[in-house]
Structure formats: C-alpha cells, structure tokens
Amino acid sequence: MRKATKNIVGVLSLGVLATSWSIGQAAESGLVVGAPAATNAATSEATPEPTASASSEATASAQPNAEPSSSASAKPTPTKTATSAAKSVTKKSDAISYVAEKRQGVMQISVTKQGSTITAIDILSGGTEGGQWATVPDLLAQAAIDAQGSNFGNISRATHTTEAFKTALETALAKF
Amino acid sequence: MTNSPQSQLHLVEPNKQVRIGERKVVRVKRAQDIIETIAWSIVLAVLVMFLIDGGLKYVTDVPSALNAVSRVTSLLGTALLLIHMLLVARVPWIDKFYGHDGATVAHKKLGKPVMYFIAAHFLASLIEYSITNGEDLVATLFWFITDVQDMLLATIGFVLMVAVVVTSLNFARKAMSYEAWFFVHLLSYASVAAAIPHTITAGSDIAGKPVQTTIWVALYLFVFLNILWFRVWIPIRKSFRKRLVLAQSVRESSDTTSLYLTGKHLDKIEAVSGQFYFLRVMTPSQWWRPHPFSISAAPNGQYLRFTIGDRGDDTKLMQNIKPGTAIAIEGPYGLFTEERRTKEKVVLIASGIGIPPIRTLAESMAARPGDITVIYRVRSAQDASLLGEMQEVCRRRGFQLHVIEGPRGPKNSWLNKQVNADGSELPDVARLVMMAPHVSEADVYVCGPQVWTESVLKSIRKAGTPADNIHAEEYAW
C-alpha cells in the first residue's frame, strides 16, 4: 500500500473499531434468547401458553413485571407487596440435576404467580458463574415471564442450563 | 520447423506500440491499494463483528478473558487463512497486479501468522476450560476430544495445519523431497475442512447469528469457488481444448533442450512474451508434478516452445520425454512482460537458462533500433543456449547485444573477470553503464539464478534506475 492510503485506512479502521467497541459495550448482552420452537412467537402478553395452565384472563392486573434485576445473587423477591387484588403465591420447583460445561449442577427455582400470571421467578440454585454467564439467570427468568411458561427458545451457549431451567419451571407450575 | 539456419529464423512481428509513462505505474498501485484495502476490511470486519457482539464486555476474570482471546484469535486466524488460501488460487485479478510470484511470496509470509493465531486460539480455550472445569490441561484436552461435539475433527485439523506449516519452513523444504512436501501440503485443504464443523457447533460467533453466518459462509464459498474455478477447472479445460503434445525436442546446448509443443487452437494462446506456464508431462508417474517454464519463443500460432535447462532434478527427465507425449499446461502466469514497461528504453539482462523470457521480450517488444540493449551472461559462447537466435534477433532489430562469457569477476560480481591494461578492474556498475548508457532512464528486465539476480539488481539500483522500472521475477513456488 502507498503511504497515504495506509494512513487513511489506518485512521478509518481505528474509528470503526472504536465505534463497534462502544456499540458492543452498550449492547444488552452477548447472549440472546432464541426463537421458540413452537409456532407462536414472542407477543408476550396475550398469547395463552400451551404448557402452563394459564388462561389469560387476569392480564388486567396492574402489576408491573417485577423484573428480577438482582436475582443473580438469589435475593428473594418481595412477593407480598403486590398492589393488586389477586393473591401472590410462590411455589418451589423440584431440584433438577444437570450437566453444563462439564460441571454437575442442580437447578431449583421458585415461581411466583398472581392469579394465573407468572410475576416473578427466582433461581435458588444452579445459576452459572463468571463473565457473561452472570447474565444467564436474568435472561432465563425474564424469558419465562415474557413467555408465561417454558415456551421460549434456548439461550445460545447455555443450552443445558436452559433445558434444566425449563424442566424445573414445569415442575413448579405443576404444583399450582 | 526451426532446425534451420539462423537467417531463416521465423520471428513474430514485434508489437507496433506500447503505452509508456508514469500513469501506468500509478494505475497498478491504485489497484493494489484497493485489493489490500479489501483484504484488510475482511480482517477488520471480523473484529467489528466480535466487538459489536459485546466480545469485550464480559471480560471480568481470567476464564472470560481467555474466552475473549480464544474468540478473537480464531476469528483473525480464519480470516487470514482464507486470504492465505486465495493468494494461491491463481486468481487473475490478484496475479494481474502482484504477479504469480508476488502472490506466492505473500502466501508464504502469511503461513506462520495463521498458525500462530490458531495455536493461540487452541491454547486459550484449552486453558479456559481447564480453569472452569478445575482439571489439568491433559484431562481437558481429552475431554475436548472425546466429549465435545466436532472437537476431535478440529484438533486433527490443527495438527495437520502445524504439519503443513512446519514442512514448508525453509530448512524442512530443503530436507524433503518435493513429493513429500506436496502431499503434506495437499492436507491443508483437509485441515481447513476439518475445522469447519466446530466453528458452527461449538463456536460462539456463528451459530444463531444470521449476519455473522451469512458473512462467513460467503467468505468460505468465495474462496472455495475461486480455488475450484481458477486452480482446477480452468487448467483442465484449457489442457483439454489445446491437447498439446510434444512435437519435437531440440538440443540447444550441452545442458539445455527446447521442447516444441503443438496442438489445437494455438492461435488463441493467451501468453505474451516473458510469461510462463506450469507444464505437466501426462505420464502415469509424472502427471501430478507441475513444472514452471517460461516460453522461449513469442507465441506464433504454430507451436509453443519452452527451453529447459538441466538442473539435475526433474528437468533432466523433462528433456528426455518422447515426442507424442501429452503435456498439460496451466497458465500463462507472470508479469515479466511489456505490460509493465513505462520507459522508451529497455535493458534486458539474462544469465544462463534465464534467457528464454529475455529472448521472447527482445523478439516482440515494441522498439526502434537502439532502444533495447541486451546483456547475456554465459559460461562460454560455444555452449550458450539460444545464443544464435538472440544474435539474429538483435541483428535484425538493431539492438545492441553484449555477450559476457568466461569466469566470474571478483566479489560476487555478476559479470566476467576483466582486467584493464593497468591491472585495475572496473566495478560492475561502471561496466553496466558503459554497456547500457541509458540504464537509469530505462526499464530493466533481469532473469537468472537467484543469487546472481540479486547482485545484478544491486548494480542497477546503484546506477540510478527507479525501483518501479526494475523487473525481476522469482520462481517462488
């Protein structure tokens, strides 16, 4: 390359790299929830969930989605503070053992329902650790609340964890 | 055909005109800049995809840092690997601007960096998982190979790649036979193929990401199709069309032989003076070995001629093939042509078996009498290949021919020993300028053995010829 071209290309490249770095830092998460295998996609509110027993009559409740923002540290979400008429009920799932990243893990979660709506999910054990994995429990809980059940796609690179989570969720929902 | 006396030597009509001037060089450089920018953009694009994906966002501890290292090195290594492979696909738009030799030299240079990147990727993921799994490296490697999908193949691919690179290092090349090197080098395609599955099933930068998937599939397909088309299909089709056979071989000197090939469609041969072909003698034991040889007569529509020196290896065998043997060709390649000329004056310098392209250039270059000076370095004028033809060309076209014979001068001289009356010896540069006074204002074409060529180039640079006007081609294959 001629010198002038090299300089121009070099400066442009630095700009492009810096821009993409800042986009990457601002991005939500490197891990994304894939599309569900079933037909109905993520129009989260009105879709009745086939596996869970929810009939979506209670969507009128003004309950905002209690986002389990700090659930990675397994802090219990306040469940009694709900401002709506329907009672919040929390049930624990079975402990599902699974293998992810060659480590034996046990997945146990608690599900909070208000009427027939899932309002909060806590991962009691089985969360992954370190790096980008810290975001996996949040993603799973949010995806399950959005889908009102286990009908959501896998999180790429966290397939085993996702599957264990779904099984646990189903056992918890079966107890309501 | 040509065993005739020199006066009946059949020469092609020289080119009527040639475009000269600096703009030609500028145009080539601009094209090179564009190609290099495209190559760089590919490398940049994979980095951008990694960064936009938040590749650096989650680096919080040692394993996640290793994970990022592993991802970046694999992406860069793969991007460079694809460029590395494209460089030897004999793609016309690369060869046109860099020459077959330039592309091959770049290919050689990229080999080691590619391996370093892939090795770093391999080690980084190995260490990352051995930390998170809490096991030692050997156990982790074993786990990779036995338990993780497609990692066995990928590991084999990596081992093959190391083998390919190591056998291509200079010291190994010298110790190995061509056959051994060739077969190991063929494995590089297997190596790349073996690595593909794990990028899809185990990698975090392709699966489930439509944009990235599209880009990578497009890159792989582009390189694969270029190799298939230009390296495999075009040469096969050309050889079938031309159906070249050896018509006659003629002894030119004690150690050189001219092969006259005839076949169909010879009037449509694309070669121009100064270019070369890879020849394959189509016998059961030889067909897979390509040999690069320059044409030694400008294409004339009747035959294709190559003049081959006996260098003690296969070239000996090439000299003794029987008339009627089929010969497959790949090419033409090379930029040692008039296409690169930008000056009115030309100096052609050859040594020994470097004469064929010089001979064809002298035959066909556009020039008036006196425009071209030829310097031909030989051991002895009695035993010099194509010397008679060279003299005839220069006589008819009015070029000055300097035949330099005899033992070599002192200190790595590329000329012969010549002592003046007072016992002093002139340096090579001075003698070059005396033979070709316009050398600093001319295009200089040099062809000969590598060490000799380097010595000539030194003299030419000292004489003041700009680098853009010095043309020498390396047989770097």
Side-chain angles (χ1 to χ4, degrees):
Chain A
M1 258 192 229
R2 287 172 294 184
K3 236 189 195 137
T5 325
K6 210 178 235 172
N7 292 342
I8 295 170
V9 170
V11 170
L12 283 180
S13 315
L14 281 179
V16 169
L17 285 178
T19 314
S20 47
W21 176 76
S22 61
I23 294 176
Q25 292 303 99
E28 273 292 296
S29 159
L31 297 162
V32 248
V33 183
T39 47
N40 48 7
T43 47
S44 55
E45 306 165 56
T47 10
E49 163 50 46
T51 53
S53 54
S55 67
S56 60
E57 96 347 293
T59 38
S61 71
Q63 168 81 0
N65 269 352
E67 207 166 318
S69 53
S70 58
S71 67
S73 53
K75 213 190 284 172
T77 327
T79 50
K80 297 284 178 180
T81 54
T83 52
S84 85
K87 244 189 200 168
S88 281
V89 185
T90 303
K91 301 266 185 187
K92 266 190 194 172
S93 77
D94 293 346
I96 308 296
S97 67
Y98 71 106
V99 181
E101 302 294 323
K102 215 202 172 180
R103 258 175 306 173
Q104 192 73 28
V106 176
M107 175 70 76
Q108 193 171 27
I109 62 173
S110 73
V111 179
T112 306
K113 268 182 130 183
Q114 192 167 42
S116 57
T117 314
I118 300 173
T119 55
I121 293 173
D122 276 327
I123 297 185
L124 304 176
S125 100
T128 38
E129 316 154 11
Q132 54 182 327
W133 304 113
T135 59
V136 169
D138 278 356
L139 276 173
L140 285 170
Q142 193 54 49
I145 290 168
D146 287 347
Q148 287 296 308
S150 61
N151 186 30
F152 56 89
N154 281 346
I155 293 182
S156 57
R157 297 192 74 203
T159 312
H160 297 296
T161 313
T162 313
E163 274 162 11
F165 176 86
K166 285 181 179 177
T167 317
L169 177 60
E170 276 156 25
T171 65
L173 290 174
K175 289 179 183 171
F176 280 96
Chain B
M1 230 168 333
T2 57
N3 255 348
S4 45
Q6 300 303 340
S7 55
Q8 285 162 33
L9 179 68
H10 171 76
L11 296 180
V12 297
E13 188 85 346
N15 295 338
K16 291 272 184 325
Q17 53 183 5
V18 60
R19 201 189 175 89
I20 56 176
E22 287 305 306
R23 295 201 54 180
K24 234 169 144 180
V25 180
V26 173
R27 219 174 299 147
V28 170
K29 288 197 170 156
R30 196 181 299 146
Q32 289 180 340
D33 279 6
I34 293 173
I35 293 176
E36 282 158 43
T37 307
I38 292 173
W40 170 245
S41 324
I42 293 173
V43 175
L44 193 66
V46 303
L47 275 178
V48 164
M49 289 193 289
F50 170 75
L51 288 173
I52 287 187
D53 195 47
L56 288 181
K57 191 181 175 186
Y58 299 101
V59 177
T60 51
D61 50 3
V62 177
S64 58
L66 283 169
N67 181 264
V69 169
S70 157
R71 283 173 68 184
V72 168
T73 49
S74 68
L75 291 169
L76 289 178
T78 314
L80 289 181
L81 177 65
L82 289 172
I83 295 171
H84 172 75
M85 287 170 73
L86 194 63
L87 282 170
V88 286
R90 308 213 182 125
V91 186
W93 53 264
I94 294 179
D95 285 12
K96 188 176 168 195
F97 298 110
Y98 295 92
H100 179 271
D101 60 334
T104 312
V105 167
H107 169 85
K108 274 189 169 176
K109 271 191 195 151
L110 263 180
K112 270 199 252 175
V114 168
M115 188 188 70
Y116 293 149
F117 273 120
I118 301 297
H121 160 65
F122 176 78
L123 288 176
S125 25
L126 198 62
I127 299 172
E128 178 204 346
Y129 280 96
S130 81
I131 291 175
T132 53
N133 290 358
E135 289 187 63
D136 60 47
L137 291 177
V138 179
T140 314
L141 180 61
F142 188 71
W143 171 67
F144 266 153
I145 294 175
T146 53
D147 281 17
V148 184
Q149 201 184 353
D150 298 324
M151 284 304 284
L152 174 60
L153 264 181
T155 312
I156 293 173
F158 175 61
V159 172
L160 287 181
M161 172 182 275
V162 173
V164 168
V165 174
V166 169
T167 53
S168 295
L169 298 178
N170 279 337
F171 77 91
R173 265 309 285 276
K174 276 176 196 149
M176 284 173 84
S177 69
Y178 175 83
E179 287 91 338
W181 172 83
F182 179 81
F183 277 117
V184 176
H185 222 76
L186 267 189
L187 289 177
S188 53
Y189 294 108
S191 154
V192 174
I196 291 176
H198 93 288
T199 64
I200 295 159
T201 54
S204 37
D205 288 283
I206 293 183
K209 297 177 181 174
V211 179
Q212 280 92 326
T213 311
T214 314
I215 292 177
W216 279 109
V217 170
L219 283 177
Y220 269 103
L221 268 184
F222 180 73
V223 172
F224 174 72
L225 291 178
N226 268 297
I227 291 174
L228 203 65
W229 184 259
F230 292 112
R231 246 208 119 145
V232 182
W233 171 242
I234 294 266
I236 290 178
R237 196 186 60 179
K238 236 181 227 175
S239 295
F240 266 97
R241 278 219 185 131
K242 303 257 188 311
R243 293 192 182 280
L244 291 172
V245 293
L246 178 66
Q248 190 187 358
S249 53
V250 177
R251 205 108 190 111
E252 299 284 0
S253 71
S254 62
D255 60 356
T256 60
T257 303
S258 283
L259 306 181
Y260 289 81
L261 309 188
T262 54
K264 292 178 181 170
H265 308 296
L266 280 178
D267 48 330
K268 284 187 203 137
I269 212 94
E270 301 101 321
V272 296
S273 292
Q275 287 193 304
F276 66 95
Y277 283 95
F278 285 98
L279 300 192
R280 294 167 188 267
V281 183
M282 299 305 274
T283 57
S285 60
Q286 284 292 313
W287 67 271
W288 58 276
R289 308 191 63 166
H291 304 279
F293 291 117
S294 291
I295 52 172
S296 67
N300 54 21
Q302 293 167 356
Y303 55 81
L304 205 54
R305 191 181 74 170
F306 299 90
T307 303
I308 293 170
D310 177 7
R311 292 192 305 253
D313 47 9
D314 268 10
T315 45
K316 176 122 195 137
L317 216 137
M318 295 283 294
Q319 292 186 337
N320 294 326
I321 47 178
K322 290 194 189 84
T325 311
I327 311 257
I329 57 168
E330 293 163 44
Y333 301 120
L335 291 177
F336 197 71
T337 63
E338 188 162 22
E339 177 63 29
R340 281 297 163 94
R341 175 179 171 191
T342 60
K343 300 277 171 113
E344 205 175 316
K345 304 284 186 192
V346 175
V347 182
L348 303 173
I349 308 177
S351 168
I353 198 54
I355 191 66
I358 297 295
R359 145 81 173 76
T360 55
L361 285 172
E363 180 181 357
S364 71
M365 272 185 152
R368 294 162 303 197
D371 277 348
I372 295 182
T373 306
V374 184
I375 301 173
Y376 186 12
R377 176 82 176 91
V378 296
R379 254 168 324 192
S380 82
Q382 274 71 49
D383 196 24
S385 171
L386 304 179
L387 180 59
E389 287 187 23
M390 206 63 239
Q391 284 165 333
E392 182 61 20
V393 170
C394 291
R395 190 187 64 75
R396 281 198 214 167
R397 300 199 63 195
F399 302 156
Q400 213 176 357
L401 172 66
H402 301 270
V403 180
I404 314 289
E405 66 168 332
R408 190 201 290 178
K411 278 189 263 168
N412 206 18
S413 165
W414 56 275
L415 290 165
N416 59 358
K417 194 168 175 65
Q418 202 177 62
V419 186
N420 293 344
D422 59 352
S424 65
E425 290 176 50
L426 280 178
D428 285 355
V429 196
R431 290 173 67 187
L432 171 66
V433 175
M434 279 163 70
M435 286 187 281
H438 42 58
V439 64
S440 64
E441 276 299 311
D443 274 287
V444 188
Y445 291 76
V446 186
C447 189
Q450 198 184 350
V451 180
W452 177 86
T453 303
E454 272 158 26
S455 171
V456 180
L457 295 184
K458 226 176 267 170
S459 295
I460 299 170
R461 279 187 220 114
K462 265 190 215 158
T465 313
D468 290 337
N469 296 111
I470 303 176
H471 314 277
E473 194 145 52
E474 247 184 84
Y475 283 147
W477 60 289

